[in-house]
Amino acid sequence: MAQLVSSWSKGVQSVPKDYVMPPENRPGDFIKVCNEIPVINLQDDRSKIVPQILKACSEFGLFQVIKHGVSDKMMADISDLYDEFFNMSVEEKSGLYSEKHDEGFTLYTSGMNYTKEDVHYWKDTLRHACHPLDEHTPSWPDKPARYRDEVGKYATQVRKMGSNILDLIAEGLGLNKGYFNEISQDQTMVVNHYPPCPDPSLAMGIGCHGDVNLVTFIQQNQYGLQIQKDGIWMGINPIPNAFIVVLGYHIEVVSNGKLKSVEHRGVLNSTAARTSIGTFMSLNTNLPVVVEPAKELVSSSCPKKFKSFKFNEFIASYLAFYLKPGPRNGTPLDAYRV
Ligand code: OGA
Ligand code: NI
């Protein structure tokens, strides 16, 4: 069994050899925090925020939202819950550890391929499906004792916010308001925990990647998330009680390239654990969903920029792209461009 970083890293004085990234994959110096990324108040007028969101999605593939309907208290409680979870004893956590990624619930460390990696990421991850709740809660952890109850309520609230944001994006694109919500949506929680690292310049929390799904909503408690814009890495300022909205490859395809997905990564720090609580919304992978640009966004003056493909196939080629050893070129989306 691979060892969770949260179980062995307390008090370590140097980065173990198998966590030292090759120089080209290290965080590098002089990463600036980007202050131009829009912060959108979801209680503002629709006529004001729809264009703001569209602009953010086409320029950055990412924005932050405040006044989003998930209460400050709920966000604080869930943050405490996950701190408690990752601080449980080695014995308690090892009972939950699993490297089987097709199961309802997994707790694993580093990437999805620990045993085959040359170098590991300084991160532990908990992942489980959330929708429909009744179907999935029995596979969730029951430690801390309040886990299922609290995470269930949180997942419901975040889903409401997420559906609202997807409606705003659909409206901005000129699609039916319910365009993204019409196909039943999967909702998955991915909680990444990054313990303090004795030398954050040598190791990495999560490597450069794009998300495969429609959108991801991230609650974070510390600086660490960075995005790549025009080939340059920039930091995302953590605003208290905000969610970060990250656009995935799927929504870029549906929008026929009007919206951009964003490559991102997570760096470490030496003093405080960072926990990012992610909610991934995607179309239901069990449906024979075809991924393609929305017909409404294709015309003779704006031809189809992506081929049509089955979502399941796309997920398989996405995983193969990131699991392949050696340097990477481009993104998993490149194979689908017309
Ligand atoms: C992810 C992700 C961001 C973070 O899980 O896909 O990008 O800060 N998470 O952990
Ligand atoms: Ni991501």
Side-chain angles (χ1 to χ4, degrees):
M1 187 196 90
Q3 289 295 319
L4 295 164
V5 186
S6 54
S7 298
W8 58 259
S9 64
K10 212 168 239 161
V12 293
Q13 300 292 315
S14 62
V15 178
K17 226 170 68 208
D18 50 348
Y19 285 82
V20 175
M21 286 283 149
E24 65 278 15
N25 292 340
R26 291 181 197 167
D29 302 325
F30 312 119
I31 307 292
K32 279 206 192 116
V33 166
C34 176
N35 293 316
E36 289 96 69
I37 292 183
V39 178
I40 291 164
N41 176 345
L42 287 183
Q43 285 178 9
D44 270 352
D45 272 0
R46 227 178 158 84
S47 59
K48 180 173 163 199
I49 58 180
V50 167
Q52 283 179 343
I53 289 177
L54 250 273
K55 188 163 183 284
C57 291
S58 58
E59 283 178 15
F60 294 97
L62 179 142
F63 55 98
Q64 305 211 45
V65 288
I66 53 171
K67 309 266 174 76
H68 39 60
V70 183
S71 74
D72 294 358
K73 164 127 185 18
M74 185 174 263
M75 293 181 83
D77 287 349
I78 210 81
S79 180
D80 290 347
L81 177 84
Y82 281 115
D83 279 350
E84 218 175 291
F85 181 89
F86 284 102
N87 282 319
M88 286 191 310
S89 69
V90 173
E91 294 73 38
E92 278 180 299
K93 276 184 288 186
S94 66
L96 297 167
Y97 188 87
S98 144
E99 284 170 28
K100 294 195 183 117
H101 292 285
D102 49 358
E103 287 186 354
F105 164 80
T106 46
L107 173 66
Y108 61 100
T109 190
S110 186
M112 285 173 75
N113 213 11
Y114 183 90
T115 47
K116 297 207 181 120
E117 293 163 352
D118 294 333
V119 188
H120 308 303
Y121 292 105
W122 193 274
K123 126 173 132 53
D124 297 334
T125 297
L126 168 158
R127 175 209 297 265
H128 59 64
C130 293
H131 186 77
L133 266 184
D134 298 349
E135 206 175 282
H136 295 290
T137 37
S139 73
W140 294 2
D142 52 6
K143 304 178 271 200
R146 62 189 192 282
Y147 189 99
R148 293 180 186 176
D149 180 47
E150 263 189 35
V151 176
K153 288 181 182 142
Y154 177 84
T156 304
Q157 287 303 311
V158 176
R159 186 177 183 82
K160 248 188 222 165
M161 172 190 77
S163 298
N164 180 22
I165 293 172
L166 281 168
D167 283 348
L168 292 162
I169 295 175
E171 194 176 322
L173 285 170
L175 299 171
N176 288 339
K177 186 175 156 224
Y179 188 93
F180 296 113
N181 289 304
E182 267 159 26
I183 306 179
S184 134
Q185 277 170 35
D186 276 1
Q187 178 184 358
T188 303
M189 252 0 243
V190 178
V191 182
N192 294 326
H193 179 75
Y194 308 93
C197 173
D199 189 345
S201 71
L202 296 179
M204 205 60 187
I206 187 169
C208 171
H209 69 282
D211 294 348
V212 71
N213 55 319
L214 288 171
V215 280
T216 306
F217 304 100
I218 295 178
Q219 172 183 338
Q220 60 171 348
N221 61 349
Q222 296 279 339
Y223 173 73
L225 184 67
Q226 299 180 341
I227 63 167
Q228 200 173 38
K229 183 166 183 338
D230 307 323
I232 295 172
W233 285 105
M234 302 189 304
I236 307 297
N237 188 21
I239 300 173
N241 301 317
F243 277 89
I244 299 167
V245 184
V246 180
L247 271 67
Y249 293 131
H250 188 176
I251 207 161
E252 176 167 344
V253 172
V254 173
S255 75
N256 201 22
K258 282 197 173 171
L259 311 181
K260 299 281 178 259
S261 56
V262 62
E263 320 302 318
H264 51 283
R265 67 181 188 181
V267 300
L268 304 161
N269 77 75
S270 59
T271 51
R274 172 169 180 264
T275 303
S276 106
I277 304 166
T279 298
F280 285 60
M281 305 271 277
S282 56
L283 297 190
N284 191 328
T285 40
N286 294 322
L287 296 173
V289 179
V290 174
V291 175
E292 60 189 354
K295 304 216 168 24
E296 296 85 337
L297 302 177
V298 177
S299 65
S300 54
S301 61
C302 192
K304 210 170 149 182
K305 293 206 171 107
F306 298 95
K307 299 173 203 161
S308 305
F309 46 88
K310 292 210 186 87
F311 191 46
N312 277 348
E313 279 168 17
F314 184 62
I315 291 187
S317 74
Y318 169 86
L319 291 175
F321 180 93
Y322 287 113
L323 294 177
K324 203 173 121 214
R328 294 182 198 125
N329 267 327
T331 80
L333 211 45
D334 295 336
Y336 296 91
R337 292 184 204 280
V338 171

